[in-house]
Structures are given as structure tokens and as C-alpha cells.
Amino acid sequence: MDRAPVYGTGCWPFEPARARSTSPLPFVMKIDEIYMSEALKEARKAFDLDEVAVGAIVVCKRKIIARAHNQTRLLRDPTAHAEMIALTQAANSLKSERLLNCTLYVTIEPCPMCAGAMVWARIKRLVFGAADPKAGACGSVMNIASHRKLNHRINIAGGILEEDCASLIGKFFRKQRAQGKK
């Protein structure tokens, strides 16, 4: 699967958060960038382990309560996405399956599985780096996270540190192609 050239190309039906933010507080963007840099640290761990370079953190009351990176190959588990692991850690940390006042930061737009799990967990806000126009379920291909027929809608901000996030996953897929892997 060749996603490297399309990550973060702006092929999504909404503008990046920088372009569409209506927040009167400019420091909100800076806080999002600080937390996204933490998610990028996790993505780099995945890259170093030859996993798809995606990282995620969960923040509650301005505190990081969970951090994870993709581990599908390591665990031989197709559900071991960074978001799923981070949601589980956050639920354990809060001792609740409901993550009502939490924000999930992830380097790449979540897939349908992860977006569905976020809805079930009642995540308040999602912040992602680069769009995924082939499998993104938070605005690119579909929008599970804010679908009007579901009983919970997540506030979404995309495009935070987009270039850094897109660059890392692009580098991962170029490395995989160079090694003859799919």
C-alpha cells in the first residue's frame, strides 16, 4: 500500500486547523503543537521498531495520561494501532471507559476502527497531524468521529505539525519500498 505521497497533501474536505481556527486565544495552537510533538516522539519510536510510524497521546486536564505508538507487527495484532493502545491506557488511568474530557493527539488521521473506538470512549476532542486521504475516518474519506447519526460527536482539529507528521510517515513508507516490503 503506497500512502507516502498523499499524506498531508491537503486532499481533505476541510482546512487545516491553522487556516480555520476561530479561537480568540492564539496560545491554543501552541499548546496543540506542544502535545503533537509528544505524539511525534511516539511515532518515531514506531519508526525505529519498523512499525508504521504513528504515535498518539491522550491528554486530560492538561496532563498526558497515555502515550502509545503502533505495535501491530510486534504484537501480531491488527488492532494494535497507536490510538487504540492510548485509549486503553487512558481508560485504565481514569478507571473508566468514558474519556469525556480528554483530547487525543495522533500524528495521522485515524482509521475507521480507531475513530469508532474514540466515539465509544466519548473523547471530547481529536487533534491530528496529517490527513489520510486513503483511509482517514475523521474527514478525509468519511467522518465517523462527527457523524450526525451517532450519539457522540468529537471536535476535530487537523493539520497540527502537518509537515512533520507527513514527513515521518512518508519516510517510513519510502524505507519499506526500498526494502521491498509492502
Side-chain angles (χ1 to χ4, degrees), residues 43-62:
R44 288 184 192 100
K45 290 178 187 177
F47 181 89
D48 292 342
L49 295 170
D50 206 29
E51 295 276 357
V52 177
V54 178
I57 66 165
V58 177
V59 175
C60 188
K61 298 178 183 174
R62 295 186 221 145

Side-chain angles (χ1 to χ4, degrees), residues 7-8 12 16-19 29-41 43-44 57 105-109 127-131 157-169:
Y7 278 107
W12 42 348
R18 282 187 187 91
M29 292 302 298
K30 188 66 172 169
I31 290 169
D32 282 347
E33 289 176 2
I34 291 167
Y35 285 129
M36 186 60 72
S37 68
E38 291 298 313
L40 270 164
K41 288 177 186 176
R44 288 184 192 100
I57 66 165
Y105 290 83
V106 62
T107 55
I108 303 299
E109 179 183 3
V127 179
F128 67 85
I160 305 298
L161 298 184
E162 180 177 20
E163 291 178 15
D164 295 336
C165 295
S167 173
L168 183 60
I169 197 146

Side-chain angles (χ1 to χ4, degrees), residues 50-138:
D50 206 29
E51 295 276 357
V52 177
V54 178
I57 66 165
V58 177
V59 175
C60 188
K61 298 178 183 174
R62 295 186 221 145
K63 180 182 174 193
I64 297 173
I65 61 169
R67 51 176 69 238
H69 54 274
N70 273 10
Q71 297 181 46
T72 56
R73 292 177 179 174
L74 174 71
L75 300 176
R76 292 183 175 85
D77 179 357
T79 68
H81 290 195
E83 302 95 319
M84 299 294 282
I85 296 168
L87 289 173
T88 299
Q89 288 177 1
N92 287 334
S93 173
L94 296 177
K95 296 177 179 38
S96 174
E97 72 280 8
R98 301 284 190 236
L99 306 176
L100 298 172
N101 293 308
C102 297
T103 299
L104 181 118
Y105 290 83
V106 62
T107 55
I108 303 299
E109 179 183 3
C111 72
M113 174 185 67
C114 295
M118 287 185 290
V119 170
W120 286 116
R122 305 295 195 267
I123 286 283
K124 181 177 184 176
R125 185 167 179 252
L126 164 68
V127 179
F128 67 85
D132 182 352
K134 289 190 175 185
C138 298

